[in-house]
Amino acid sequence: EKNGEIEQPVDYGYIWGDALEIWKKVDPDFRIINLETSITNHPEPWPAKGVNYHMHPENVKVLTAAGIDFCSLANNHTMDWREEGLHETTQSLNNAGIAHAGAGKTLEEARNPQILKKDYALVIILSYGSKTSGIPGSWAATHDRAGVNMLPDFSDETIEMIGNQVKSVKQEDDIVVFSIHWGGNWGYDIPVRQQEFAHQLIDKAGVDIIHGHSSHHAKGIEIYKNRLIIYGAGDFINDYEGISGHDQYRDDLTLMYFPTLDPETGKLLSLKLAPLQIKKMRLNHVSEKDRQWLFSMLNREGQELGTRVTINEDGFFSLQKAKSSIQN
């Protein structure tokens, strides 16, 4: 209603819109997302939850149309349609050949990392969810119950547990991505304990990239000891178009993150960000005015984190350490 009718029918690639053109241009090794929905026809939602998302299993073709390689499932919508919905979700992804982690029939399955390989690159992905993002405590997977791979807390013991998990699978030259659903939906604040935990994941647990999500809008980005920390990637695409109430955050403006890492050390060599806008349930190139809005926001929120962005000739952003924050 806000932006006009969508001509129907549309193909499975419709929602990705101009992102498909960007993917073709950049040609990333891997396409990693947080899938914040169930893929199921199960008729019974999780009781008294309020918001329960699902997509038809046939529509998993939306993900294959975009060439998605991995879906994180450790979030507060994976079990919106009970254990049966979770089982159908993982089965649908398996049938489509899409790797996933963060939820499963048991804690062992939910905690099991995924390994993505392509030519010289080998990426290990661990997926965790935090109660701070609104995941019900009863969703935590156990040794004999299906559920989400819940992060116990932000303690030193948890860091040690994750570090041991990384050591058990990481080999020389492997890249480790820690995908975590944490924090609230709105607001730019990054709690001190969250930042400290992110730093410890790098210092003590051997993590190379932190892929944080839950906020419906992008947040400030940090480079810590040459490692990338995305505290809140923001929604890439959602169905909030036309819904008011948090307009100041511009959740219709979204980013694609393209980090380049040194495969031998895991150090961040560069990060390019492609700005897009959700309109008519589709990702579109942004106007110059909206590009400037994102540019200002990223620099404002990156100031305390010691980062800034510049605008490239192609309209992408490049992330850099602020001059006053350069470290060896």
Side-chain angles (χ1 to χ4, degrees):
E1 291 177 355
K2 179 179 180 180
N3 293 313
E5 293 185 3
I6 300 170
E7 292 185 14
Q8 298 184 54
V10 298
D11 61 29
Y12 288 106
Y14 171 82
I15 67 166
W16 307 109
D18 294 329
L20 295 174
E21 172 193 332
I22 294 172
W23 275 322
K24 185 176 180 180
K25 176 182 177 181
V26 177
D27 190 25
D29 288 328
F30 305 110
R31 304 178 193 194
I32 296 169
I33 66 168
N34 167 54
L35 182 67
E36 204 158 342
T37 187
S38 298
I39 308 174
T40 182
N41 281 323
H42 185 66
E44 295 183 16
W46 193 272
K49 186 170 182 288
V51 178
N52 300 73
Y53 290 144
H54 68 137
M55 60 186 280
H56 193 286
E58 185 69 15
N59 285 340
V60 76
K61 293 176 183 177
V62 166
L63 302 178
T64 56
I68 300 300
D69 295 293
F70 172 87
C71 295
S72 175
L73 300 180
N75 60 61
N76 57 313
H77 289 289
T78 292
M79 289 188 66
D80 275 359
W81 298 84
R82 300 178 178 260
E83 290 187 15
E84 293 85 352
L86 171 60
H87 297 332
E88 193 170 7
T89 298
T90 56
Q91 189 60 54
S92 295
L93 293 173
N94 290 339
N95 292 342
I98 300 173
H100 55 86
K105 296 178 181 178
T106 63
L107 176 60
E108 289 75 17
E109 182 178 305
R111 187 164 291 176
N112 190 44
Q114 280 289 346
I115 299 176
L116 305 180
K117 299 179 182 179
K118 183 175 180 180
D119 300 330
Y120 59 87
L122 193 150
V123 175
I124 300 167
I125 308 177
L126 284 68
S127 180
Y128 279 79
S130 167
K131 290 181 182 179
T132 61
S133 67
I135 303 173
S138 56
W139 285 17
T142 66
H143 298 297
D144 56 5
R145 185 183 68 195
V148 169
N149 182 27
M150 195 78 80
L151 189 77
D153 50 35
F154 295 145
S155 68
D156 291 339
E157 290 75 16
T158 298
I159 290 290
E160 183 178 2
M161 175 195 71
I162 295 168
N164 289 334
Q165 187 181 12
V166 171
K167 288 177 184 177
S168 69
V169 293
K170 184 178 183 180
Q171 303 293 322
E172 188 176 358
D173 299 344
D174 292 350
I175 302 297
V176 176
V177 176
F178 190 83
S179 188
I180 180 166
H181 204 65
W182 58 0
N185 292 153
W186 306 102
Y188 295 108
D189 180 58
I190 298 170
V192 172
R193 191 68 192 94
Q194 191 181 95
Q195 185 178 31
E196 290 175 346
F197 185 76
H199 290 178
Q200 288 181 331
L201 285 170
I202 293 167
D203 288 336
K204 299 179 180 179
V207 169
D208 298 301
I209 292 182
I210 295 166
H211 171 220
H213 35 83
S214 179
S215 60
H216 291 316
H217 55 87
K219 301 176 74 169
I221 307 169
E222 185 176 12
I223 301 172
Y224 175 74
K225 295 187 176 178
N226 295 308
R227 262 66 178 183
L228 175 63
I229 304 176
I230 301 170
Y231 287 102
D235 291 351
F236 187 35
I237 187 164
N238 58 32
D239 60 353
Y240 296 170
E241 192 170 348
I243 298 175
S244 60
H246 297 279
D247 298 11
Q248 70 269 33
Y249 296 111
R250 293 298 308 272
D251 62 306
D252 62 312
L253 299 182
T254 184
L255 294 167
M256 303 174 76
Y257 299 78
F258 295 111
T260 300
L261 276 66
D262 182 336
E264 295 183 0
T265 65
K267 292 181 178 180
L268 182 70
L269 299 178
S270 68
L271 175 66
K272 290 187 176 182
L273 303 113
L276 292 161
Q277 182 186 34
I278 305 168
K279 190 173 183 179
K280 289 193 173 183
M281 291 292 292
R282 179 185 187 273
L283 290 164
N284 304 274
H285 293 303
V286 296
S287 67
E288 187 57 36
K289 181 179 179 181
D290 287 339
R291 190 191 324 277
Q292 289 295 329
W293 190 96
L294 282 167
F295 172 77
S296 297
M297 181 277 293
L298 288 168
N299 280 323
R300 183 190 71 228
E301 298 305 320
Q303 187 172 6
E304 289 191 12
L305 299 171
T307 57
R308 62 186 180 90
V309 296
T310 56
I311 301 178
N312 305 333
E313 291 184 0
D314 57 9
F316 288 13
F317 303 128
S318 286
L319 185 75
Q320 300 173 356
K321 292 281 287 185
K323 290 183 179 180
S324 61
S325 301
I326 293 176
Q327 301 174 358
N328 294 328

